[in-house]
Amino acid sequence: MNLSGAEILVRCLQEEGVEHVFGYPGGAVLHIYDALFQQDQVKHVLVRHEQGAVHAADGYARATGRTGVVLVTSGPGATNAVTGIATAYMDSIPLVVLTGQVPTSLIGNDAFQEVDNVGITRPCVKHNFLVKDVNDIAETIKKAFYIASTGRPGPVLVDIPKDVTDPKVKVPFVYPDQIRMRSYNPTVKGHPGQIRRAVEMMLAAKRPMIYSGGGVILGRAAEPLTRLTRQLGFPITNTLMGLGGYPASDRQFVGMLGMHGTYEANMAMHHCDVLIAIGARFDDRVTGNLAKFCPTAKIVHIDVDPASISKNVKVDVPIVGEVDTVLQEMIRLLEHEGGQPDGEALKAWWAQIEEWRGMNCLRYRMSDEVIKPQYVVEKLWEITGGDAYVTSDVGQHQMWAAQYYRFDKPNRWINSGGLGTMGFGLPAALGVKTAFPEAEVVCITGEGSIQMNIQELSTALQYYLPVKVVSLNNRYLGMVRQWQEFFYSGRYAMSYMEALPDFVKLAEAYGHVGMRIEKPGDVEGALREAFALKDRLVFMDFQTDPTENVYPMVPAGAGLNEMILV
Amino acid sequence: MRHIISILMENEAGALSRVAGLFSARGYNIESLCVAPTQDDTLSRLTLVTRGDDQIIEQILKQLNKLIEVVKVQDIEDAPHIERELMLIKLQAAGADRDEVMRLCEIFRGNIIDVTETSYTAQLVGPGEKLDAFIEALGRIPVIEVVRSGALGISRGPRGMTV
């Protein structure tokens, strides 16, 4: 059967099992929207700003593990999407972003709503394509989904000129069963000899430490990670992106590491003799000063991306492969060969770690007068049974969410770790709710971040996406204010927000429920009330302590053992 | 350390800009870059010269390999190899200088490929240092224009870089 380019595109999405597309129509994609309109297998969520579309698809992808799909028009539609694409790129999130382009005959002519989408996005996509021939659509889309979701995942952009989707030009449609690319063959299995070396090193360790990251979540490897960690009895820390990869309420979990990591996690990193890095990339927010990083450790590093290995920190046993496969192989080796870790040494190591844990570095002073942001997150954890999908924006509230909401399951913690994109939280939450309508979805945000994509409250109403917004409103751009307090002698340059809107009225204006909470005694009641409203989006505006800081903190340039505690 | 890196990549629009973009985005330097089709018309071969310590070169090779259109990457310094560069150089040559240019060309095994009453254009092939030495040897003879291809490299022996 012959189909138009637009029809082919929609058929490709159907073939890929795509259920939801997040997007915004415009001139260059009208043919595609017309084809979408004439079927009901692929549903479209109309956002209010293209950045929101990408974050929503991104949240959808992070929660489900499937590839998120975005459809936007040429020119401003595509440029608005760029921040979202870069966000997904930095966190290795599989997305296929379809952008409209001016007709091929006009490309390069500075036509209306023309911009070089492929050029603009080149540094922030895993790959991108310009489709110049209707006959190439099917294969290109197949490649896009394949590239986005395999190896180290990432966003793939497909730029489609308007004439390529012309309804009058019809060609045969065949969707390829599979795709083979001579230039793209991600490594799946780790090298058996390296895996064996790593296991030997782990068993010989006196002070071992497991450090796992977002690769465990992306690689669906939480289960083998948990099994291996328990089998070995080693302490484990998760990066910001890796939270939920190991149950946070388990005794072996020593908390998040890095700039705002726990005292015990950072101290254990600093003093360990064997570090097992799993799906993590030694980001500067994790390592602190590289010259002082893990000075006494031999390092094993498992990652699907060879370029992540020995990029920042030279490792002793590199293993390139899918985390899941490699961990399974390690478990198999341990079970078959009956190796045991050094129990005596481990006992002494745990005694030391418990001493560090005894510092209780996440304690904070409660107040009867003013709401402590940490308290709100702790109560939220209690009330949701620790089982909600939590998205966040970027800043202090993000760190408090990471520290105080204990994630026991993977894919529940959804935040912009690499790029640090304010405005991510709300649209991401809508994406998660689209995927899991029955699940409890919470966006933890602040009054600064939420205003960067607050228009998506309108999308939430149109598509009945009753998420809960927990805004920790301290009237400051809190993380900026914190750095200004510590490192700029308290000169709070432009970090105070005057003339904030009345968020209660704003929520109501968008058709939702708004609540303003000012007293610590009201926090729990308000949360219970909000979560009882199952079918409503509730915007909770918590007036929190403006002077509260995120602790512990490893200042820039310091080693992980040089934390500022409360 | 100076390295010559050979890249086989899909002969597609935009592939070159991905390589160039990678170098600028990650702050690696490119001393020269040369790209042309190969005997297989689906492949282009790109030769680039860069500098960096071992860790940087390792990252460059890995990052290049990550580019979807790159099929194969090789640091040709890893094995015995031959390096050549082509230079076209236009010189002011009148009077006694004309003989001097001819002599130098002969010494450096170059050819004169264009002649006017006041100028010669010479073509020279060799490793970069040889071309530098030629320019040096010209002394006071005025150079009007220099065009250099950048280095090309190929491994010694019967084995080739193939897909």
Side-chain angles (χ1 to χ4, degrees):
Chain A
M1 190 169 84
N2 284 2
L3 298 176
S4 75
E7 289 164 338
I8 288 174
L9 196 60
V10 173
R11 281 290 299 276
C12 291
L13 297 180
Q14 292 174 346
E15 293 281 342
E16 286 293 332
V18 174
E19 289 170 16
H20 293 95
V21 170
F22 300 87
Y24 205 107
V29 286
L30 279 173
H31 300 326
I32 304 170
Y33 270 85
D34 195 47
L36 264 182
F37 193 74
Q38 297 178 48
Q39 55 86 55
D40 46 20
Q41 193 174 330
V42 181
K43 294 174 196 68
H44 181 272
V45 177
L46 172 67
V47 294
R48 299 300 182 262
H49 184 284
E50 288 88 349
Q51 186 188 344
V54 189
H55 291 329
D58 180 323
Y60 184 98
R62 290 183 205 231
T64 61
R66 288 155 54 195
T67 302
V69 183
V70 179
L71 171 58
V72 296
T73 195
S74 65
T79 55
N80 278 346
V82 169
T83 300
I85 296 170
T87 303
Y89 180 66
M90 286 292 275
D91 290 342
S92 309
I93 305 305
L95 293 183
V96 169
V97 181
L98 308 168
T99 54
Q101 184 53 276
V102 301
T104 43
S105 58
L106 291 181
I107 288 179
N109 270 4
D110 303 322
F112 176 64
Q113 292 194 327
E114 179 186 3
V115 74
D116 175 9
N117 291 339
V118 166
I120 281 183
T121 58
R122 193 176 293 124
C124 61
V125 292
K126 185 170 173 186
H127 195 57
N128 56 20
F129 296 96
L130 170 64
V131 185
K132 282 180 147 172
D133 184 336
V134 58
N135 293 295
D136 294 340
I137 292 179
E139 195 187 322
T140 308
I141 298 295
K142 183 80 190 177
K143 278 185 185 168
F145 276 90
Y146 173 60
I147 294 169
S149 60
T150 51
R152 180 178 179 173
V156 176
L157 180 138
V158 183
D159 197 25
I160 308 164
K162 190 170 185 181
D163 54 319
V164 174
T165 56
D166 186 344
K168 293 190 291 294
V169 181
K170 304 218 177 201
V171 299
F173 169 66
V174 187
Y175 199 62
D177 279 340
Q178 51 180 347
I179 210 91
R180 236 189 58 79
M181 298 171 72
R182 62 178 170 184
S183 60
Y184 176 70
N185 296 296
T187 311
V188 176
K189 288 186 68 156
H191 188 278
Q194 290 291 87
I195 295 177
R196 183 170 290 273
R197 270 183 68 204
V199 168
E200 282 163 11
M201 195 180 272
M202 283 149 71
L203 292 179
K206 304 280 182 210
R207 300 183 308 280
M209 180 70 176
I210 299 176
Y211 142 58
S212 84
V216 169
I217 312 291
L218 293 162
R220 299 183 180 93
E223 192 274 323
L225 174 68
T226 305
R227 201 138 57 89
L228 180 71
T229 307
R230 289 202 169 130
Q231 203 169 339
L232 292 165
F234 290 179
I236 178 167
T237 179
N238 290 164
T239 67
L240 179 68
M241 297 310 299
L243 292 173
Y246 187 87
S249 51
D250 189 272
R251 199 66 197 160
Q252 280 172 251
F253 185 66
V254 295
M256 181 173 77
L257 82 164
M259 183 172 273
H260 294 297
T262 64
Y263 185 70
E264 52 271 33
N266 285 342
M267 291 301 276
M269 286 293 287
H270 189 80
H271 293 279
C272 71
D273 70 343
V274 172
L275 179 68
I276 306 114
I278 306 172
R281 61 183 177 90
F282 297 84
D283 175 79
D284 55 280
R285 285 298 191 262
V286 157
T287 60
N289 187 336
L290 280 173
K292 301 177 182 172
F293 179 73
C294 290
T296 53
K298 289 241 181 281
I299 303 178
V300 174
H301 188 186
I302 308 168
D303 206 290
V304 75
D305 176 13
S308 281
I309 293 176
S310 293
K311 182 175 74 179
N312 301 330
V313 173
K314 191 92 193 137
V315 306
D316 301 281
V317 184
I319 303 174
V320 179
E322 280 180 358
V323 169
D324 178 41
T325 319
V326 174
L327 291 177
Q328 302 277 11
E329 182 58 20
M330 286 181 162
I331 291 168
R332 201 192 61 79
L333 264 183
L334 281 170
E335 279 169 358
H336 276 245
E337 303 189 4
Q340 291 292 331
D342 184 339
E344 278 304 302
L346 212 49
K347 220 170 123 190
W349 178 225
W350 269 112
Q352 170 66 75
I353 290 171
E354 290 303 339
E355 200 184 311
W356 289 325
R357 179 138 55 189
M359 291 283 291
N360 195 13
C361 68
L362 293 181
R363 72 187 181 280
Y364 58 91
R365 255 176 242 104
M366 266 302 282
S367 151
D368 296 332
E369 294 301 311
V370 56
I371 299 175
K372 291 290 179 176
Q374 302 96 322
Y375 175 68
V376 178
V377 179
E378 281 195 323
K379 281 290 153 194
L380 176 69
W381 177 77
E382 255 178 60
I383 285 163
T384 55
D387 204 32
Y389 286 88
V390 177
T391 72
S392 96
D393 274 301
V394 171
Q396 286 184 318
H397 66 267
Q398 177 187 24
M399 292 300 115
W400 286 318
Q403 292 173 329
Y404 294 92
Y405 197 101
R406 281 167 275 166
F407 294 92
D408 281 343
K409 295 177 187 166
N411 305 88
R412 296 296 169 107
W413 166 236
I414 288 159
N415 81 129
S416 167
L419 196 67
T421 308
M422 290 171 73
F424 173 81
L426 177 60
L430 301 184
V432 178
K433 192 71 178 172
T434 304
F436 301 119
E438 302 305 320
E440 208 66 86
V441 181
V442 186
C443 167
I444 298 181
T445 182
E447 81 291 346
S449 284
I450 192 68
Q451 291 188 82
M452 285 212 185
N453 267 323
I454 199 157
Q455 75 287 346
E456 300 307 330
L457 285 174
S458 178
T459 310
L461 189 72
Q462 181 171 349
Y463 293 93
Y464 179 58
L465 300 167
V467 302
K468 302 291 182 275
V469 179
V470 172
S471 179
L472 304 176
N473 180 351
N474 63 355
R475 280 82 69 205
Y476 275 98
L477 299 174
M479 192 58 92
V480 173
R481 197 207 61 84
Q482 176 168 343
W483 281 60
Q484 288 169 336
E485 178 186 330
F486 288 4
F487 311 119
Y488 296 87
S489 312
R491 291 186 299 280
Y492 298 122
M494 296 73 178
S495 55
Y496 181 71
M497 274 203 176
E498 280 177 336
L500 285 170
D502 179 333
F503 288 104
V504 173
K505 282 189 188 156
L506 190 63
E508 288 168 359
Y510 275 111
H512 304 302
V513 178
M515 293 165 70
R516 183 181 166 98
I517 306 99
E518 292 172 322
K519 293 279 168 245
D522 297 335
V523 169
E524 186 169 346
L527 283 166
R528 288 196 187 282
E529 193 185 328
F531 281 93
L533 294 170
K534 288 272 171 229
D535 57 348
R536 298 298 298 277
L537 185 153
V538 183
F539 191 113
M540 287 162 268
D541 183 23
F542 289 95
Q543 302 289 307
T544 60
D545 184 351
T547 63
E548 193 59 52
N549 289 325
V550 181
Y551 295 107
M553 180 174 185
V554 178
L560 287 184
N561 60 332
E562 300 166 316
M563 278 161 281
I564 305 173
L565 297 171
V566 186
Chain B
M1 249 278 276
R2 177 176 180 272
H3 287 255
I4 304 177
I5 295 172
S6 278
I7 302 165
L8 283 176
M9 60 189 190
E10 300 289 352
N11 190 4
E12 281 168 15
L16 172 62
S17 57
R18 283 182 214 279
V19 173
L22 171 71
F23 274 70
S24 64
R26 293 195 180 264
Y28 308 138
N29 79 40
I30 300 182
E31 270 183 24
S32 71
L33 187 154
C34 187
V35 60
T38 63
Q39 75 276 22
D40 174 348
D41 61 11
T42 66
L43 287 172
S44 293
R45 179 144 169 171
L46 190 152
T47 308
L48 67 81
V49 178
T50 184
R51 273 177 200 280
D53 58 27
D54 289 351
Q55 202 196 344
I56 289 175
I57 298 298
E58 184 184 331
Q59 263 299 307
I60 288 175
L61 297 174
K62 285 174 171 177
Q63 294 292 348
L64 284 168
N65 264 312
K66 262 178 87 169
L67 294 176
I68 304 290
E69 282 153 344
V70 167
V71 184
K72 203 164 195 180
V73 180
Q74 222 167 49
D75 180 353
I76 70 164
E77 312 276 332
D78 285 348
H81 64 280
I82 301 155
E83 177 188 340
R84 289 290 181 272
E85 183 173 351
L86 171 70
M87 173 167 75
L88 305 178
I89 182 166
K90 192 176 286 186
L91 304 161
Q92 224 173 68
D97 285 350
R98 292 179 82 82
D99 285 349
E100 179 61 10
V101 168
M102 292 289 287
R103 259 195 306 278
L104 282 171
C105 269
E106 205 167 304
I107 294 166
F108 282 84
R109 294 169 207 240
N111 299 311
I112 304 293
I113 54 172
D114 186 55
V115 183
T116 71
E117 278 175 13
T118 55
S119 72
Y120 275 142
T121 300
Q123 164 191 303
L124 283 98
V125 175
E129 314 90 80
K130 174 181 152 180
L131 308 184
D132 295 341
F134 178 78
I135 295 173
E136 183 92 354
L138 288 170
R140 48 163 193 82
I141 297 170
V143 175
I144 300 168
E145 195 178 353
V146 174
V147 187
R148 292 172 71 152
S149 65
L152 294 176
I154 195 163
S155 61
R156 286 190 181 274
R159 292 184 58 189
M161 182 177 174
T162 48
V163 179

